[in-house]
Amino acid sequence: MKSFKAFSHAIIALFIICLRARSYGQTELDVAPMEKKEKDALYSTIQGFVGDWWNGSDLYPDPCGWTPIQGLSCDLFNGFWYVTAMKVGPIDDNSLRCAKIVQFRPQLFELKHLKALSFIKCFESQHRNPVTIPNGNWEKLAGTLESLEFRSNNGLTGKIPSSFGVLRNLQSLLLLENGLTGEIPPEIGNLSNLKRLVLAGNYFTGKIPDIFSALNQLLILDLSRNSLSGTLPLTLGSLTSLLKLDVSHNHLEGSLLKEFAYLKNLTLMDLRNNTFSGGLTLSFQEMHSLEEMVLSNNPIGGNIRTLKWKNLQNLVILDLSNMGLTGEIPESLSELKRLRFLGLSDNNLTGNLSPKLSSLPCLSALYVSGNNLTGELKFSTEFYGKMGRRFGAWSNPSLCYQVGVMSTSHVPYGVKPC
């Protein structure tokens, strides 16, 4: 009985100790203050984006406490809360929503521990209330800012500030689907820690600056859906860590780079919808990591057999449509066992279509329409049934299929009987 009482007392004592410890820890967090200068800078910054009506009155005990601002992240430095990340825009139901008239207040640049800054669907009207990115004060965030994002802001106009070049710790610069114009500033080349550079879906013009020599940590480069012109800069070959390269839907021209051979880690290359010419470069067959290769809608020309396609064993998507290619479709394409999509439409390809292509275990789409292929199709009924309309061979006047070998439901669309 005595031992039971002693055990009970020990349990009660332990519970009281834990309760006190928990209360102490909670109290410490509750009263952890935000430095007045930091709080004033934060409130003024937010009011610039959402309106002066906002005063943070429903926040307890402060903007980083138990009822924090949605989209705001904080951390403790020397016993004080400081803002480390801010997302502005309708990201969640209770996120900070931007007012019709928005302003970047200078207090934004007083948030001295800010690491990430995002604006998503914040500046919406390009005609009524356009907003430009301020050119000054970015040097105040140079020591901390690692991520800067402007996404889907139709009302964000003007140029990329050249002062972005001072953000020496920046790892991600994403300016996606805004109303930005002008040329890409060469100062972007100063951002030697950059891992992601996405400038897609804007109205940028001029040449791609030759700035990539120092960006050897870059993993993603996406300049697609702009109005960029001129040739590709040779320093693209310096991006030996690059995983994704997308310059599609621009007005780029000239020959494909021999320096592509240095991009050993590249998994996606999308050059479609430009005016590249000069034939397929042999450097492609050195890019063994490629999984997606999209070159369609370029007047590149040349013979499709120029490359040793069997070197590209990791290819999953290969789109060479509408490129002015000549020659016979190489049987070596049937050695690309991971291939799912093969697009060869609207070229000047000749010869027979090898039935070995049907042996590709993952192939789910094959388009060879709009060429000068000849002879008889010799694929199995099972192949036509599996592919359906994803097998396109129409507009090849001298191509035919054998009558009686397959049911009428599996007849390849647009191909005449032999």
Side-chain angles (χ1 to χ4, degrees), residues 196-317:
R196 180 171 69 158
L197 178 59
V198 177
L199 308 179
N202 289 281
Y203 302 94
F204 296 127
T205 55
K207 294 183 177 182
I208 300 175
D210 206 0
I211 58 174
F212 300 103
S213 295
L215 303 185
N216 52 20
Q217 296 189 53
L218 203 62
L219 302 176
I220 296 173
L221 175 59
D222 187 350
L223 307 178
S224 63
R225 293 176 289 134
N226 284 291
S227 297
L228 299 169
S229 58
T231 58
L232 292 173
L234 298 181
T235 52
L236 281 176
S238 305
L239 304 178
T240 53
S241 297
L242 201 65
L243 302 176
K244 174 183 175 180
L245 172 63
D246 189 347
V247 296
S248 62
H249 300 277
N250 279 289
H251 307 302
L252 299 169
E253 60 185 9
S255 299
L256 301 173
L257 300 180
K258 295 183 292 184
E259 287 75 11
F260 283 154
Y262 301 122
L263 306 183
K264 302 292 186 183
N265 294 302
L266 201 68
T267 59
L268 182 147
M269 169 181 277
D270 193 344
L271 310 181
R272 81 183 105 171
N273 289 88
N274 282 287
T275 56
F276 292 119
S277 58
L280 296 169
T281 173
L282 293 176
S283 59
F284 283 154
Q285 63 195 28
E286 304 298 321
M287 304 170 73
H288 305 299
S289 296
L290 266 184
E291 297 177 8
E292 298 183 37
M293 184 184 203
V294 183
L295 308 178
S296 54
N297 300 320
N298 279 289
I300 290 175
N303 196 301
I304 192 172
R305 290 177 174 260
T306 299
L307 301 186
K308 296 178 180 177
W309 292 102
K310 63 181 180 180
N311 288 9
L312 302 177
Q313 288 293 317
N314 288 305
L315 275 180
V316 175
I317 295 174

Side-chain angles (χ1 to χ4, degrees), residues 87-140:
K87 290 184 178 179
V88 184
I91 305 160
D92 298 305
D93 291 340
N94 54 347
S95 296
L96 294 171
R97 305 274 175 146
C98 292
K100 290 184 178 179
I101 299 178
V102 180
Q103 53 181 185
F104 285 87
R105 294 186 178 177
Q107 287 82 1
L108 167 65
F109 303 98
E110 302 301 326
L111 302 174
K112 59 185 179 182
H113 289 282
L114 194 63
K115 291 183 178 180
L117 181 61
S118 299
F119 299 92
I120 302 174
K121 296 182 179 178
C122 185
F123 321 111
E124 296 196 4
S125 179
Q126 194 173 70
H127 303 292
R128 292 182 181 177
N129 301 299
V131 177
T132 58
I133 303 173
N135 193 52
N137 291 320
W138 290 102
E139 70 279 358
K140 295 182 179 181

Side-chain angles (χ1 to χ4, degrees), residues 37-52 54 103-108 111:
K37 185 178 179 181
E38 178 82 358
K39 187 174 179 179
D40 290 346
L42 174 63
Y43 278 38
S44 181
T45 296
I46 292 174
Q47 287 169 345
F49 298 130
V50 307
D52 286 330
W54 187 93
Q103 53 181 185
F104 285 87
R105 294 186 178 177
Q107 287 82 1
L108 167 65
L111 302 174

